[in-house]
């Protein structure tokens, strides 16, 4: 995973990227940001990971639900929830055990990198050792 983050950070167009990983309760476990990343994408990456873990679904789906009027985040009274593409849940044995959030690039690039990180985590064998 570190190699992917290093590769991403080295690319000039990725200078604003931030990545967060949380547990199933939304507690921050890992945070990495490019040195030139502004403060807002750093905070948003954490909120995306948190939202994916707490709501147990990708933030792209949350964003769609909010736009369609099927989900009202204000009613949930949790200021950490965000409807912004780039957060995905981490699942093991059909249970959500955490979330990954990426921010700082376009919504689609954030989502693509989050999926790449999830694949790396799954391929690492880390979860099979739990």
């Amino acid at each position: 995973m570190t190699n992917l983050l290093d590769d991403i950070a080295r690319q000039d167009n990725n200078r604003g990227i931030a990545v967060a990983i949380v547990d199933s309760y939304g507690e921050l476990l890992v945070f990495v940001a490019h040195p030139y990343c502004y403060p807002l994408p750093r905070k948003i990456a954490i909120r995306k990971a948190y939202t994916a873990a707490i709501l147990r679904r990708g933030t792209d789906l949350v964003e769609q639900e909010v736009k369609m009027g099927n989900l009202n985040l204000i009613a949930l009274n949790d200021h950490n929830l965000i409807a912004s593409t780039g957060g995905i849940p981490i699942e093991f044995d059909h249970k959500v055990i955490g979330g990954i959030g990426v921010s700082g690039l376009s919504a689609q690039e954030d989502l693509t990198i989050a999926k790449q990180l999830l694949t790396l985590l799954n391929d690492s064998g880390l979860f099979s050792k739990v």
Side-chain angles (χ1 to χ4, degrees), residues 33 57 61 74 112:
R57 57 186 172 273
L61 297 176
I74 295 170
T112 298

Side-chain angles (χ1 to χ4, degrees), residues 117-130:
L117 290 170
L118 181 60
T119 298
L120 284 174
L121 283 173
N122 286 332
D123 291 349
S124 72
L126 176 68
F127 303 136
S128 63
K129 298 174 187 172
V130 175

Side-chain angles (χ1 to χ4, degrees), residues 103-122:
S103 186
L105 305 176
S106 73
Q108 194 55 48
E109 289 171 313
D110 288 349
L111 181 58
T112 298
I113 292 170
K115 288 179 179 179
Q116 289 174 335
L117 290 170
L118 181 60
T119 298
L120 284 174
L121 283 173
N122 286 332

Side-chain angles (χ1 to χ4, degrees), residues 41-104:
R42 293 168 184 262
K43 293 180 183 293
I44 291 173
I46 295 168
R47 290 180 63 193
K48 287 179 181 183
Y50 176 89
T51 301
I54 297 301
L55 296 182
R56 308 295 198 242
R57 57 186 172 273
T59 56
D60 57 329
L61 297 176
V62 173
E63 184 175 3
Q64 289 175 4
E65 291 172 327
V66 168
K67 284 180 182 176
M68 293 173 56
N70 296 331
L71 178 63
N72 181 349
L73 293 183
I74 295 170
L76 297 176
N77 197 30
D78 185 338
H79 71 279
N80 287 315
L81 295 174
I82 191 168
S84 180
T85 298
I88 56 174
I90 302 169
E91 295 183 28
F92 176 71
D93 199 24
H94 306 292
K95 296 177 185 162
V96 174
I97 61 168
I100 298 172
V102 178
S103 186

